[in-house]
Amino acid sequence: WIIRAIRNKEYGNVIVAQRSDYLWGVLDHKGNEIVPFGKYDWIDGFDQGLARVRTTGNPGRVPTRLPSL
């Protein structure tokens, strides 16, 4: 069973990715999970350490620590 990324966007030193099982997560450039896949239904964009997320149809923002360069 292989799960691959079908979408990913880079935001500075992190990558927002959607896997082929349609779960979203945030990774650093070493592949470490910063936000676990499946915690949010959708993740996009970062602004001042906050990510735009959606859970069960509810939009919001959550603080996410960004790794240092």
Side-chain angles (χ1 to χ4, degrees):
W1 179 258
I2 296 175
I3 298 175
R4 60 182 180 82
I6 59 172
R7 291 184 193 166
N8 60 26
K9 297 178 186 176
E10 291 192 32
Y11 295 95
N13 49 357
V14 297
I15 300 167
V16 174
Q18 182 185 27
R19 300 188 315 197
S20 59
D21 58 0
Y22 301 103
L23 298 177
W24 288 86
V26 178
L27 307 169
D28 65 15
H29 285 284
K30 294 180 181 179
N32 299 311
E33 283 189 352
I34 297 170
V35 176
F37 284 90
K39 183 170 183 172
Y40 300 104
D41 297 333
W42 173 83
I43 304 171
D44 187 38
F46 281 88
D47 183 29
Q48 299 179 2
L50 298 177
R52 292 187 307 254
V53 300
R54 183 178 301 132
T55 58
T56 323
N58 296 317
R61 288 180 171 251
V62 294
T64 301
R65 290 186 186 173
L66 301 178
S68 59
L69 292 173

